[in-house]
Amino acid sequence: MPENSPPKQNALGDISLLYAAVLLRATEAEGGNIDKLKARFRLDDAALASADARISIPRFMRLGHAAITATGNPALGLRMGALTRPVDAGMAGLAAETASSVRQAFRSLIRYSLLTSQNSRGEPSVDEFQRTVRFYSIQPYNPYNYFVVDSILAAWTQLARHITGRYDVLEKVWIEYPSIGLDDVFESWFRCPVEFGARENAIRLKESVWRQSPSQAHEGMYEKLSGVCERELRQIRKGWSVADRVRHLLTPLLRGETPTLEILAARLGTTAWTLQRQLSAEGTGFRQLLDDTRKQLAEDYLKETDTSLAEIAWLLGFANPPAFHKAYQRWHGTSPGERRKQIRSDS
């Protein structure tokens, strides 16, 4: 039976179907039946070929889990990485391919990541001094999202290999989720030590690689491509209200705690009083925005994922599950457990 169509907007985020196309290529390479997956998830060739089409994050995770089940390969994310090309990251990938150095390539790839992915969990980052590229935490981990971390770290590694012509590009890999018993497979693929159960998801590139000029480095083309990316990035952010900017920063900070107005103001480079005044001018306030964000995220977690109620409470920044239950009862007049039962019954 085909998966139900996702909502027009999903508070948990969405990503380009370019990534789904890579997942399907990896599935086919591993002997999986991609026609069945495309039918189940209603993915047609026109959408998969589009540079602008999107898929919700939860839907992408379900697609990945179904692909792993179909292939029997729990390390399918590594296969995805091996089959990832610069163009699969959109214009940002093409700009990275023509950068003057690997350092500049990753700086561009991370700067323009918003062009192909918007995730409530956070944004990737690059530490140029440490030669480290980081992928945000997507706790709690489960069989539906291990492959996401694998595929991103592997795709970054593959980019470095592709633009340098070298295979031994890394010093170390850190993976936040605990070992699933494939340590040797991962170390063989990355060709460096891999630490599971780490404090972050990241790769560190060798110094010689970090400084190396890509084989297709071209100053004029890089300037043109990065200029296109800058315009698209400005266009995305141009439509953001102050409330949108606060919500964008707020959601990743919710895990296990409630961020304060002062913290958000500092992130935006302003004062708490000024931020509150700006929100008030838009007809909202920090407390209302926090409550509305939690309400929307809670509904999407219940509808789109199998995340436990205790984990949802933590992800929404509540002190404990009873506090989440009390808030949900206030929002909807029912408990989150009853709401989940209703959703599953309707499905």
Side-chain angles (χ1 to χ4, degrees), residues 15 19-20 23 57-68 73-78 80-81 135 138 141-154 177 180 186:
I15 64 171
Y19 297 109
L23 174 56
I57 295 293
R59 192 176 179 81
F60 179 66
M61 289 183 179
R62 292 198 297 273
L63 175 63
H65 183 262
I68 289 172
N73 181 4
L76 189 63
L78 299 184
M80 289 176 64
F135 184 62
I138 54 174
Y141 288 100
N142 55 58
Y144 286 85
N145 60 19
Y146 292 143
F147 86 95
V148 176
V149 174
D150 302 345
S151 64
I152 294 296
L153 300 185
Y177 66 76
I180 57 173
F186 277 73

Side-chain angles (χ1 to χ4, degrees), residues 318-332:
F318 286 102
N320 49 57
F324 167 50
H325 282 246
K326 182 178 180 180
Y328 199 90
Q329 186 77 35
R330 172 171 56 84
W331 295 330
H332 299 288

Side-chain angles (χ1 to χ4, degrees), residues 86 89-97 105 108-110 112-113 115-116 225 229:
M91 292 297 293
L94 296 177
E97 192 174 20
S108 299
L109 190 71
I110 300 308
Y112 304 126
S113 62
L115 303 184
T116 55
L225 291 168
C229 291

Side-chain angles (χ1 to χ4, degrees), residues 276-296:
Q276 186 61 60
R277 177 173 55 81
Q278 291 172 333
L279 291 173
S280 178
E282 293 181 356
T284 187
F286 178 69
R287 289 296 171 189
Q288 180 183 339
L289 191 61
L290 173 64
D291 201 51
D292 290 346
T293 300
R294 280 173 160 168
K295 179 179 178 181
Q296 186 176 2

Side-chain angles (χ1 to χ4, degrees), residues 120-256:
S120 66
R121 301 297 186 91
E123 295 179 341
S125 62
V126 58
D127 184 330
E128 297 186 33
F129 180 74
Q130 294 290 333
R131 309 185 308 280
T132 301
V133 192
R134 296 184 173 90
F135 184 62
Y136 46 83
S137 171
I138 54 174
Q139 296 181 38
Y141 288 100
N142 55 58
Y144 286 85
N145 60 19
Y146 292 143
F147 86 95
V148 176
V149 174
D150 302 345
S151 64
I152 294 296
L153 300 185
W156 288 345
T157 304
Q158 186 65 17
L159 174 68
R161 289 171 175 171
H162 171 80
I163 63 179
T164 63
R166 293 178 55 174
Y167 199 73
D168 57 331
V169 296
L170 302 182
E171 281 187 359
K172 189 170 181 180
V173 173
W174 291 268
I175 293 178
E176 192 177 31
Y177 66 76
S179 170
I180 57 173
L182 297 174
D183 299 34
D184 291 344
V185 173
F186 277 73
E187 294 202 342
S188 175
W189 196 92
F190 286 108
R191 294 294 178 94
C192 71
V194 178
E195 179 184 339
F196 287 90
R199 292 183 297 177
E200 61 183 358
N201 300 304
I203 61 170
R204 175 176 291 161
L205 288 94
K206 293 184 175 181
E207 186 173 359
S208 60
V209 173
W210 195 241
R211 298 195 310 265
Q212 186 172 334
S213 178
S215 58
Q216 297 196 60
H218 191 287
E219 184 178 355
M221 189 58 68
Y222 173 76
E223 288 182 2
K224 187 168 186 175
L225 291 168
S226 59
V228 172
C229 291
E230 281 292 339
R231 288 193 294 273
E232 290 191 9
L233 187 61
R234 284 197 300 269
Q235 191 64 32
I236 290 174
R237 291 175 170 166
K238 183 180 179 181
W240 286 7
S241 63
V242 175
D244 290 332
R245 294 168 63 198
V246 170
R247 190 180 295 108
H248 180 72
L249 293 173
L250 173 66
T251 309
L253 297 174
L254 284 173
R255 283 171 271 181

